[in-house]
Amino acid sequence: MASVARNGASIALLSLAILHSQFAVVRSKTFSVTCGSTIKLKNTDHQVRLHSHEVQYGSGSGQQSVTGVSTADDVNSYWTILGHLQKPCTRGQAIKCGDVIRLQHLQTKAKLHSHHFKAPLSGNQEVSCFGDSDVRGDTGDHWVLECGVGEWERDTSVKLKHIDTTKYLHISGRTFNKPITGQYEVSAHGSSANGADWKAEEGVYINKGKSL
């Protein structure tokens, strides 16, 4: 089961099925982020949430695009936290600083991914979504959590560093035109400075269960 909080108060015990059907918007204030949780990540520099959809890049890899959106209630901004391909995390286990994780897009089941293609607007490294629930993925899906020491706390900003290329998940500040007008470019950048800080926001936080 999942523990859900809104403005610090406990409101219910929900299953992931409720998240799919009702798209419940919940807010977190304290406690750790856990394996198997389905959450939104907000970039604290640009105040946009990590987002994806069934829109492919028109250049670079041609894979599913990843953007940032300012709206808080878009279901396409939910991501499920998974463990390393070779070292799965236990459902409900607290994610620790230094852990390697994968982020699976809730709606399309593709994994947050990066590689040596250029991002379409900034020329930084492209960030995409790749695969689906039937595709196991590869090391391009691995991101290391940087947050000092201890566990990933819900009220603390963190950074996500791509393992294969050592670049950080980043908002470039540039925005797209049609068909995703106004959405922000997400890229991977060599600097961990402006645009690379993320915070766990709305979501369904898992308490305990099996390995993922």
Side-chain angles (χ1 to χ4, degrees):
M1 297 295 290
S3 175
V4 183
R6 184 187 296 272
N7 295 327
S10 177
I11 59 171
L13 290 176
L14 299 179
S15 67
L16 288 177
I18 294 177
L19 178 61
H20 279 278
S21 62
Q22 297 184 3
F23 312 132
V25 177
V26 295
R27 292 193 176 275
S28 56
K29 287 294 184 183
T30 56
F31 311 114
S32 298
V33 178
T34 55
C35 174
S37 295
T38 298
I39 68 172
K40 294 182 180 181
L41 286 169
K42 183 171 75 174
N43 185 279
T44 59
D45 295 303
H46 294 275
Q47 301 298 306
V48 294
R49 285 161 175 77
L50 188 68
H51 181 90
S52 192
H53 36 228
E54 293 183 354
V55 177
Q56 282 68 43
Y57 286 122
S59 62
S61 69
Q63 292 176 2
Q64 182 175 310
S65 59
V66 175
T67 63
V69 296
S70 57
T71 55
D73 59 353
D74 194 321
V75 70
N76 278 312
S77 299
Y78 280 113
W79 302 83
T80 300
I81 302 169
L82 307 178
H84 189 289
L85 274 169
Q86 304 300 327
K87 300 175 183 178
C89 57
T90 300
R91 185 179 173 90
Q93 169 188 329
I95 302 297
K96 297 180 180 179
C97 302
D99 281 353
V100 175
I101 62 171
R102 293 171 295 150
L103 293 173
Q104 183 178 56
H105 189 238
L106 177 65
Q107 293 297 97
T108 64
K109 306 306 179 187
K111 313 296 191 304
L112 188 71
H113 186 88
S114 193
H115 38 217
H116 291 291
F117 289 97
K118 286 187 177 181
L121 302 182
S122 64
N124 296 334
Q125 184 172 293
E126 183 189 275
V127 171
S128 65
C129 266
F130 177 71
D132 54 34
S133 58
D134 296 322
V135 175
R136 188 167 181 266
D138 57 29
T139 58
D141 304 336
H142 285 156
W143 302 82
V144 64
L145 181 77
E146 292 191 356
C147 55
V149 295
E151 298 175 351
W152 180 2
E153 299 294 336
R154 301 186 200 176
D155 59 354
T156 302
S157 293
V158 301
K159 300 179 191 295
L160 290 167
K161 187 176 184 179
H162 190 242
I163 292 288
D164 283 358
T165 63
T166 70
K167 296 186 184 297
Y168 290 88
L169 187 68
H170 172 268
I171 295 288
S172 71
R174 305 194 181 195
T175 57
F176 289 97
N177 293 318
K178 293 181 180 180
I180 48 176
T181 303
Q183 294 188 20
Y184 282 71
E185 179 188 67
V186 173
S187 65
H189 195 275
S191 172
S192 63
N194 294 339
D197 289 312
W198 301 86
K199 186 177 176 183
E201 289 285 334
E202 305 88 356
V204 174
Y205 288 84
I206 300 298
N207 289 328
K208 57 186 176 180
K210 62 182 182 179
S211 293
L212 291 167

